[in-house]
Amino acid sequence: MAEYLSPGVYVEEFESGAKPLEGVSTSTAGFIGLASRGPVEGLPQLVTSPADFGRVFGNYLSENAFGSYRYLAYAVNQFFTNGGSRCYVMRVAPSDAKTASNESEEASVLSVQAKNPGAWGNQIRVVAVPASKAKTPIHEAGEGNRYRVKNASGFYPGDIVVFVDGADKQYNRVVSVHDQVIELAEPLSGDVVDTALVPAKSLSTAEFTLSVVYGTESETYEKASLNPEAPNYVEKLAGRSALVDVRVAGAGEGIVAPFAQIAGEGEGPFEILLSGGSDGTKESLSAGDFIGEDFGPGKRTGIQSFIDNDVVSIMAIPGVTDPNVQLSLVAHCENLGSRFAILDLPREATKVQDVLAHRDLFDSSYCALYNPWLQVFDPLDKRNIFIPPSGTIAGIYSRSDTTRGVQKAPANETLRGVVGLDVQYNNGEQDILNPAGVNLIRAFTGQGIRVWGARTCSSNSLWKYINVRRLFIFLEGSIKNGSNWVVFEPNTEQLWARVQRTIDAFLTRVWRDGALAGTSPSEAFYIDIGRSTMTQDDIDNGRLICVIGVAPVKPAEFVVFRITQKTGSE
């Protein structure tokens, strides 16, 4: 309650109307798979183009090295080719993959390690050159080891400094800095005072500049120091590197210039080469690598890393058809209730009975199966190869959501960048697979290659269509995100009326967009909130319960034209 203490006119704002609800995005995909580089734990990385994927996760993997585990790069490329705009990617690495480092150089002051495992780190070059961040003449030599300088800015306790008088150099360490007085660890010899307009003698800090180079990528950390107390400490500067982790293995106790500690007696550029990096082998991969581990925030891997991501609504692990991995992905989507899994079938499962055997492993409305594999061009081997369809289908989901809306079944859509199919199924085979919930991709004369199915893997007929489940994911996510303002508000009739108006306005807009059936909003949905949905016990325990019913549109899966002969006498 506002206080009114002095006479006057008071203007106050208050909210009484409905708050607009904004629909959540349903077109953001999440991919998990092998890559040549990139982080293997923490948050999935945002990727907005194939080139962006290459910068973060490297190029295509070879078939000889990784076989059926190599399809992540192809899937992401197909996702963008088919209309996707953004996705999040989490890399998986074999357990025997190793990180490149300079650990073989036992006497090295700097310990440099590639940011993540892989042979890519063996190509990293780290170059150090001498540098200095501050330079000043000495104006007065005080008592002890104190010297008044022209400008003490840039000098910090613990810094190694060098006093230069022509060809003569004296190294020292800063003990303290106060105003323009610098106290050194040892006294300087000779006449050190120089008050000339253009001084010939100077006291300078001793640092080094570190350059990290990998292919066309380069990072430069200027005027780095080995002094932990300085703001330009090398570990602090290089902490933002996307290529390497730099640690000070052990700076010398004596008064030695940082560059000399790193490079020895040389004065020119000093190069640190990394080695020992390895991509690992496909034999060491297991289902656990893709399922991942939950080591806490920032340390999760595989599927578990997407727990911290609330943007992704489509999930795929391209080419990995291990039932343990796929069932874990489906369980992940069901537990969160905000995302949908696209599953691949094994390439060798081409016969109807083999396809059905794999299909029978699943019963969920949060996933869909697609077959067969697709023929695309391989930029690595310069030939056509077959890849799993999940990345392409994820792009079609995104494209359909953007152009038509999530209520449109992502079927009868052409596949871009696909030149052929591994298997061509006929109508009789689809008559068996379609009711079972296997979505086929088929080639039609004059119509290209199209997705010819829109069913989930659920045995519940209410959730047999992909667009119905994804529409509910959209509605639930939008209402949840847009209703946070309700929490801790007084649970009264006024609040109930505001909530009803808010959701009514949102669902009316959804109905007008064609996502809900009915000729009027009252036929498309209903909202029930108040004493009919809550008891006094609910209110006393802080619960506000709103019951919402919607009538989703269903796809015209079977179009039947009944034709009869009209005779002249009729």
Side-chain angles (χ1 to χ4, degrees):
M1 180 68 68
E3 292 185 341
Y4 309 103
L5 302 178
S6 61
V9 177
Y10 296 85
V11 178
E12 300 173 353
E13 294 182 356
F14 70 97
E15 295 181 353
S16 61
K19 291 195 174 186
L21 280 177
E22 183 178 353
V24 297
S25 170
T26 57
S27 59
T28 305
F31 293 101
I32 302 168
L34 260 66
S36 60
R37 57 177 290 204
V40 295
E41 65 178 18
L43 292 174
Q45 300 294 302
L46 174 65
V47 173
T48 57
S49 68
D52 196 16
F53 177 87
R55 283 190 292 270
V56 179
F57 294 98
N59 294 319
Y60 299 91
L61 298 176
S62 71
E63 181 178 8
N64 291 336
F66 294 104
S68 61
Y69 293 110
R70 74 188 193 281
Y71 295 115
L72 176 64
Y74 301 95
V76 171
N77 183 67
Q78 275 289 299
F79 171 75
F80 289 110
T81 300
N82 281 273
S85 57
R86 60 190 175 277
C87 65
Y88 287 83
V89 178
M90 174 51 66
R91 177 193 174 199
V92 171
S95 58
D96 58 348
K98 293 181 172 57
T99 304
S101 68
N102 68 331
E103 291 180 356
S104 58
E105 303 173 17
E106 297 180 359
S108 179
V109 172
L110 289 183
S111 172
V112 184
Q113 187 178 61
K115 202 71 174 179
N116 41 69
W120 72 278
N122 298 332
Q123 303 173 36
I124 295 176
R125 293 189 305 112
V126 181
V127 180
V129 295
S132 176
K133 69 177 184 295
K135 180 179 179 181
T136 183
I138 297 175
H139 281 185
E140 181 183 340
E143 295 181 357
N145 304 332
R146 293 181 176 87
Y147 300 88
R148 185 173 61 83
V149 298
K150 182 179 180 181
N151 184 4
S153 177
F155 291 83
Y156 297 93
D159 280 352
I160 300 296
V161 294
V162 56
F163 178 74
V164 179
D165 181 5
D168 183 35
K169 293 182 179 180
Q170 300 180 54
Y171 287 93
N172 219 312
R173 176 181 281 111
V174 176
V175 175
S176 66
V177 180
H178 182 69
D179 292 334
Q180 304 302 327
V181 177
I182 297 177
E183 181 182 357
L184 301 179
E186 299 176 358
L188 297 173
S189 61
D191 182 14
V192 297
V193 176
D194 190 341
T195 58
L197 185 62
V198 181
K201 308 173 185 178
S202 64
L203 184 69
S204 306
T205 59
E207 284 88 22
F208 57 95
T209 292
L210 209 63
S211 298
V212 185
V213 181
Y214 170 72
T216 58
E217 299 179 54
S218 63
E219 301 171 346
T220 301
Y221 304 99
E222 297 183 344
K223 302 167 185 176
S225 170
L226 297 179
N227 177 16
E229 305 301 322
N232 60 326
Y233 184 45
V234 64
E235 290 189 11
K236 297 177 184 177
L237 291 183
R240 62 179 185 271
S241 172
L243 297 174
V244 294
D245 287 320
V246 178
R247 295 289 179 267
V248 177
E253 295 296 328
I255 301 176
V256 181
F259 180 78
Q261 294 185 48
I262 297 171
E265 300 299 325
E267 295 187 0
F270 178 74
E271 187 172 77
I272 300 173
L273 298 178
L274 306 190
S275 61
S278 167
D279 289 331
T281 59
K282 61 183 178 182
E283 289 76 18
S284 65
L285 284 167
S286 67
D289 295 320
F290 294 92
I291 296 170
E293 297 284 349
D294 188 349
F295 297 112
K299 296 292 184 180
R300 297 184 176 99
T301 63
I303 296 173
Q304 306 303 319
S305 65
F306 280 88
I307 294 175
D308 298 323
N309 183 298
D310 57 0
V311 181
V312 165
S313 60
I314 308 166
M315 291 286 294
I317 308 181
V320 179
T321 57
D322 187 314
N324 297 296
V325 177
Q326 292 187 325
L327 287 169
S328 295
L329 181 63
V330 173
H332 168 81
C333 295
E334 288 179 332
N335 291 335
L336 293 181
S338 60
R339 51 193 57 163
F340 191 86
I342 301 175
L343 306 179
D344 297 313
L345 280 110
R347 186 182 174 189
E348 62 272 11
T350 56
K351 295 180 180 179
V352 171
Q353 59 268 32
D354 295 336
V355 173
L356 291 177
H358 194 84
R359 158 66 186 92
D360 290 341
L361 297 171
F362 309 96
D363 185 4
S364 172
S365 64
Y366 286 88
C367 67
L369 278 164
Y370 288 86
N371 208 35
W373 285 35
L374 313 175
Q375 188 177 39
V376 300
F377 180 73
D378 182 4
L380 182 64
D381 292 338
K382 303 295 186 294
R383 61 184 177 87
N384 288 340
I385 63 169
F386 290 99
I387 67 168
S390 53
T392 308
I393 299 299
I396 289 175
Y397 278 26
S398 181
R399 183 175 82 208
S400 179
D401 290 354
T402 304
T403 57
R404 297 290 301 278
V406 70
Q407 72 276 6
K408 164 68 171 65
N412 200 4
E413 299 277 351
T414 57
L415 278 62
R416 301 171 183 169
V418 176
V419 297
L421 299 173
D422 192 23
V423 177
Q424 177 63 278
Y425 290 97
N426 58 33
N427 288 337
E429 291 160 335
Q430 186 161 20
D431 288 344
I432 301 172
L433 295 175
N434 188 69
V438 178
N439 302 309
L440 295 184
I441 302 168
R442 298 182 61 185
F444 297 97
T445 303
Q447 300 180 55
I449 298 174
R450 292 176 176 263
V451 183
W452 211 243
R455 296 204 175 194
T456 68
C457 294
S458 177
S459 60
N460 186 342
S461 59
L462 290 175
W463 302 105
K464 69 178 176 180
Y465 291 116
I466 294 170
N467 61 301
V468 173
R469 168 46 70 195
R470 297 189 67 237
L471 173 63
F472 271 76
I473 290 175
F474 166 74
L475 295 177
E476 292 165 6
S478 300
I479 293 173
K480 178 181 177 181
N481 290 353
S483 301
N484 280 333
W485 62 272
V486 180
V487 181
F488 297 118
E489 290 290 310
N491 199 357
T492 62
E493 286 81 358
Q494 290 87 348
L495 178 65
W496 304 343
R498 290 186 65 192
V499 171
Q500 179 150 2
R501 289 196 298 270
T502 297
I503 298 175
D504 184 272
F506 170 68
L507 291 180
T508 299
R509 186 170 74 248
V510 173
W511 167 72
R512 285 175 178 159
D513 290 340
L516 302 180
T519 58
S520 65
S522 61
E523 294 180 357
F525 63 88
Y526 70 84
I527 305 166
D528 195 1
I529 184 172
R531 293 293 178 180
S532 61
T533 63
M534 290 176 282
T535 65
Q536 188 59 44
D537 181 69
D538 290 323
I539 297 173
D540 291 341
N541 284 283
R543 292 189 289 264
L544 187 153
I545 301 173
C546 180
V547 178
I548 304 169
V550 298
V553 294
K554 307 290 179 63
E557 187 178 16
F558 309 105
V559 180
V560 180
F561 293 99
R562 291 186 175 145
I563 303 175
T564 186
Q565 183 177 359
K566 184 179 184 300
T567 63
S569 59
E570 293 179 350

